[in-house]
Amino acid sequence: MKKLFLIIGAPGSGKTTDAELIAKANDNITHYSTGDMFRAEVASGSQRGELIKSFIEKGDLVPIEIVIETIVGAIKKAPTAVVVIDGYPRSTEQMVELDNYLADEDGVELMSVIEVEVSEETAKNRIIGRAEEAEVARDDDSVEVFYNRMKVYTEPLSAIQKFYSAKDLHKVISGEGTIEEIVAMMNEFVNSKI
Ligand code: AMP
């Protein structure tokens, strides 16, 4: 039985960094980031990557069929019993699709959806900081694209919170502290559930 944790958070919330560190600290945990998986596909130069790029650079959501294939593929290929995926779900449609998949799949249990909560100001400052520090900045780390990414993230958020709260699977962790503080909280929480 695989135990699945999902991590959601605004652009700049630090969700991928947090999840990477948790996987590093626990041999039994594998981490995938939907954003990283899509960027890898773009970097491969495939036709599918070209299509994905056209959405990422605007801060829009990649089409649902590609997203579902990507996360189901990640869950299946994970070599450990505990899988942490950040960046999913990002729409009510994705949430419902996963729910249907899990209903038919006895081998995977959703343990929690962790929301890394940051203010819009913190998120924006981190994205701008990241763009300034990076040797090769991400195409979508500009102020203009940031506002669209924020809008795309925020729009379905209350429906997602409500859906998982009703299942007692919604957990909020503040993303405002230092990385060490946030990772310590998340690590303790994840380990309490496995
Ligand atoms: P991130 O690295 O999480 O900031 O994601 C970067 C970009 O990848 C997003 O702005 C979207 O274009 C795309 N993306 C990541 N996760 C998803 C998802 N679950 N559904 C659709 N698009 C996604």
Side-chain angles (χ1 to χ4, degrees):
M1 169 70 87
K2 276 183 170 152
K3 294 184 174 183
L4 175 65
F5 290 83
L6 301 175
I7 304 186
I8 59 172
S13 62
K15 62 189 185 314
T16 302
T17 308
D18 302 336
E20 261 169 16
L21 291 169
I22 284 174
K24 217 170 156 185
N26 297 273
D27 289 345
N28 56 339
I29 299 181
T30 306
H31 161 242
Y32 299 102
S33 147
T34 54
D36 281 352
M37 290 189 282
F38 294 141
R39 281 185 288 274
E41 185 74 46
V42 173
S44 79
S46 69
Q47 228 175 1
R48 189 182 166 94
E50 278 296 302
L51 177 70
I52 291 173
K53 183 172 188 254
S54 67
F55 292 91
I56 292 188
E57 64 194 6
K58 295 197 223 79
D60 289 335
L61 295 181
V62 169
I64 184 93
E65 310 77 52
I66 296 181
V67 179
I68 299 294
E69 238 178 78
T70 304
I71 79 137
V72 170
I75 295 169
K76 287 195 172 145
K77 78 174 174 205
T80 55
V82 184
V83 188
V84 175
I85 297 181
D86 84 75
Y88 188 98
R90 267 174 147 105
S91 66
T92 52
E93 192 186 18
Q94 291 184 12
M95 174 180 87
V96 170
E97 286 288 332
L98 178 72
D99 207 52
N100 292 339
Y101 167 76
L102 293 171
D104 291 340
E105 175 54 81
D106 292 339
V108 184
E109 186 183 357
L110 179 60
M111 307 308 290
S112 184
V113 178
I114 303 169
E115 177 188 342
V116 183
E117 192 183 43
V118 288
S119 67
E120 183 164 325
E121 202 191 340
T122 299
K124 195 171 95 187
N125 289 340
R126 286 192 190 155
I127 294 287
I128 293 167
R130 183 163 80 186
E132 283 169 357
E133 278 166 27
E135 275 173 36
V136 184
R138 273 171 55 167
D139 286 348
D140 58 351
D141 274 356
S142 65
V143 177
E144 300 73 35
V145 181
F146 167 79
Y147 283 115
N148 188 45
R149 287 162 70 199
M150 200 69 199
K151 179 170 152 273
V152 168
Y153 173 70
T154 310
E155 241 163 34
L157 185 60
S158 65
I160 292 173
Q161 290 166 334
K162 215 167 138 188
F163 183 83
Y164 290 114
S165 294
K167 293 174 180 283
D168 211 12
L169 290 175
H170 181 227
K171 168 79 179 171
V172 179
I173 287 182
S174 168
E176 294 285 341
T178 64
I179 290 185
E180 291 76 19
E181 284 164 355
I182 300 159
V183 168
M185 271 190 285
M186 205 183 274
N187 195 32
E188 193 183 316
F189 174 74
V190 168
N191 275 290
S192 76
K193 296 273 171 193
I194 58 181

